[in-house]
Amino acid sequence: TEADGSGFNAVGAYIQPGGLLRTNVFKGSRYWGYTCDLAAGTCEAKITRPLSEWASDVQGSFQGGTSGLPTASIDAFAQYMLGNGKLRSAVAKGPIFWVYDCTYQPGTAIVTSCDAKISRTMTQAFSFITDPNGTWTGIPIPTNGFDSLDQWIQPDGTLRTQIYKDNRYWAISS
């Protein structure tokens, strides 16, 4: 069951404006949000909602032709700050990958809006990966879904993506 404590489908965490750690936990058709003040050593439960309500917060249409965010469950979730009060979120479910951006009220940790960006199949979403030297001998990135996903902006400004599936992981910088 969703509340029995037997694991979760996905977790995403990021540092909010003001330095608080925000963690979102997804299991079945619900999600839970927590905010932690790392300096004080405290965490507070902030929200629990059905995925259908979470999905309805994202406004507009996803470019790419797939439907809106999943509402039954998700496989993987990642979030990172883009700067200028923008938060990027990535969601994976089966062979589909969605991206949306949220805007924070300046100087606060209050989200004012979330806007749909793209939805693609995994093959389309990661088609930018090339092997110009023809030296790649590894296993291709899975196109039928992930177990877990992590993304962050590196100090040089590039996006780092780590994908986990079964007992393997892939690291991509773009």
Side-chain angles (χ1 to χ4, degrees):
T1 64
E2 291 181 6
D4 69 3
S6 65
F8 48 83
N9 296 103
V11 175
Y14 64 96
I15 302 295
Q16 291 180 309
L20 299 176
L21 174 67
R22 173 63 186 227
T23 303
N24 295 303
V25 178
F26 295 82
K27 180 169 180 151
S29 63
R30 296 194 68 80
Y31 96 97
W32 294 261
Y34 303 89
T35 300
C36 299
D37 182 334
L38 300 179
T42 60
C43 289
E44 181 179 342
K46 289 295 195 177
I47 192 167
T48 180
R49 297 191 323 172
L51 286 186
S52 58
E53 289 180 21
W54 162 75
S56 70
D57 286 345
V58 179
Q59 304 300 307
S61 298
F62 286 95
Q63 298 173 14
T66 62
S67 60
L69 292 168
T71 57
S73 68
I74 66 172
D75 295 334
F77 183 74
Q79 293 181 296
Y80 57 94
M81 294 302 298
L82 292 170
N84 298 325
K86 294 268 189 194
L87 171 71
R88 173 142 302 160
S89 299
V91 179
K93 174 67 178 172
I96 307 296
F97 188 78
W98 293 264
V99 175
Y100 66 92
D101 291 347
C102 295
T103 302
Y104 277 94
Q105 181 177 328
T108 73
I110 299 169
V111 173
T112 58
S113 65
C114 295
D115 300 306
K117 292 299 177 194
I118 64 166
S119 65
R120 305 270 194 272
T121 65
M122 298 290 180
T123 302
Q124 293 167 327
F126 295 99
S127 64
F128 66 90
I129 300 171
T130 61
D131 181 16
N133 300 321
T135 57
W136 174 253
T137 59
I139 297 168
I141 290 175
T143 58
N144 62 344
F146 308 147
D147 292 335
S148 182
L149 172 70
D150 198 9
Q151 293 184 302
W152 68 92
I153 301 294
Q154 299 181 109
D156 66 1
T158 60
L159 174 64
R160 175 71 169 202
T161 299
Q162 293 188 175
I163 297 166
Y164 302 84
K165 176 77 173 181
D166 298 327
N167 63 347
R168 303 186 185 282
Y169 99 97
W170 294 258
I172 306 155
S173 292
S174 58

